Each structure stands twice: as C-alpha cells, then as structure tokens.
Amino acid sequence: MCSLGNTALAIDDLEKYEKECLSIIEKPSIQITAAYGNLMYDFSKDRDFLKNETEIKFKENGLRFPVEFEPIGLTKVRDTFNFNMTVGQIEISRNYECVFPKTITVHLGYVSPTIYILKDLKKQSCLYEVALRHEKTHMQIYIEALDYFLPEFKKEVNNLFETVGVKILQSGQNGKLVAKELNTEYVNTLKNKVDIWRKDVEKEQVKLDTPEHYLLESKLCAQFDED
C-alpha cells in the first residue's frame, strides 16, 4: 500500500511504522470538481485556418490528412486536469516520521470548447446545416465521454489514499523532497487514468472524421441542391 521513503529501511520496520502512522492520522479530505466549459461558436475563419487546424488534429492522432479534404467545420476542445495536495508530517517513533496527504483537490473538465464554421457558408444552406450538425455531434461526444468517465474518475480519486498511501521519513532525510515524491506518486496515478481516457475520447472522435463520412455528407447536400 505504501511507498519506501528510505530503501535501507527493512520491510518489516516499514510496515510497522506505516501501520502506526495510519492508526494516528485521518484520511485526507477530498474535493472533486468537473466542468464542461462554455461552448462558443466562431463563424469568422477561412478555409486555410480550418484546413491547417484540422491537419494538426489528424497528425496528433497519428492519422494521414487527406490532401483533397476541404473542411468546412471544426471543433476544438482543450481538456484540463488539475491536482493539488497538501501534505502533513508527524513523528511516529524516535528518528522516524510519517509523511501523509491531508487534503486532495482534483479538477477535470473542458476549457473554451469552440465550434468553428467556415465563414463562406451561407446560413441555413445545406452545407452550413450539415457542418453545424457534424460539429455539434463532436461536442456531444466530448460531453458524453466526460459523463461516462466521471464516476470512474471519482472512484479513482477516492481510492488514492488506499492505493498510494504514505511515506516513512527517516532521520536525516529531506522532508520536503519526500513530500514532493509522495505528491508525484499521487498525481501520476491519476494522470495515467486521465491519459487513457483522453486517447479513448479521440478514438471516438476520429470515427466521425473518416473520408467516407465526409463524402456521404457532401453527397447529401449535392442531392439536396439538385432537388
């Protein structure tokens, strides 16, 4: 459960001091917040902006950007993961102290989600409506992905103390350094989960951005214009 603050400390002694520490301290106070951000619309961008930004998005996901593709819409969402922890330190035996989390504050969410629609598109036209619907679907995927992940994320946060635990500090060790190591273990345990979630979200987004899907949407408008 707990991590070594000193590799020279015998395992039996470590467990003894950890148990003593856990019998004295209280579990950390935990606060978890989430936000979807305020969705914004931008109808001022030209084709070069949309093409460049879409190409960047494709490359970030390890995909080849179709040279013939001319995007007419784009959804940009930046997610944010913030972790803060205050650390306490208490003497548990002569020459031994326990470093432990006192409070944990975590935030996960989106910042400034924005839907861009090509400025040349005439409002209420078929392409305009198709582009708007397409980008709104992207946004809905982001929202549903966060909704789906939040219960699991909260469970991970609430179980952090049992998963990572405390550190035993031996006389002569740098308390600030050990506290920093403990904080790093806590934040990295969560960050690994968040990184997996991020990748899964983008995999779902990519499914909507296949050349076949764009071709289908274009044909729908071509058929509509003929009618």
Side-chain angles (χ1 to χ4, degrees), residues 174-210:
N174 187 322
K176 289 185 178 180
L177 181 60
V178 173
K180 184 178 180 180
E181 291 174 354
L182 184 65
N183 183 86
T184 299
E185 288 187 19
Y186 269 80
V187 69
N188 284 346
T189 300
L190 272 188
K191 185 178 181 299
N192 290 336
K193 300 291 183 180
V194 173
D195 286 344
I196 293 172
W197 168 71
R198 284 170 172 156
K199 291 178 181 178
D200 288 343
V201 174
E202 290 310 314
K203 284 180 182 178
E204 290 301 313
Q205 297 290 7
V206 166
K207 292 177 183 178
L208 193 63
D209 283 336
T210 62

Side-chain angles (χ1 to χ4, degrees), residues 92-192:
I92 52 175
S93 181
R94 185 180 179 183
N95 296 327
Y96 294 102
E97 296 185 1
C98 179
V99 179
F100 62 95
K102 293 179 67 177
T103 66
I104 296 173
T105 305
V106 185
H107 176 81
L108 181 68
Y110 300 130
V111 178
S112 303
T114 305
I115 287 177
Y116 297 91
I117 301 297
L118 179 65
K119 68 176 183 178
D120 296 336
L121 292 185
K122 183 179 178 181
K123 286 191 176 183
Q124 280 76 55
S125 67
C126 178
L127 280 177
Y128 174 90
E129 295 297 337
V130 165
L132 194 58
R133 183 180 62 188
H134 181 99
E135 301 310 325
K136 284 183 175 180
T137 302
H138 275 301
M139 194 63 232
Q140 189 60 36
I141 291 173
Y142 280 116
I143 292 172
E144 291 179 2
L146 184 55
D147 283 341
Y148 181 82
F149 182 60
L150 273 177
E152 179 185 346
F153 180 71
K154 290 178 179 179
K155 183 179 179 181
E156 291 289 341
V157 176
N158 287 318
N159 288 339
L160 267 179
F161 182 60
E162 284 73 19
T163 302
V164 182
V166 300
K167 276 187 175 290
I168 301 302
L169 178 67
Q170 194 170 4
S171 177
Q173 284 187 285
N174 187 322
K176 289 185 178 180
L177 181 60
V178 173
K180 184 178 180 180
E181 291 174 354
L182 184 65
N183 183 86
T184 299
E185 288 187 19
Y186 269 80
V187 69
N188 284 346
T189 300
L190 272 188
K191 185 178 181 299
N192 290 336

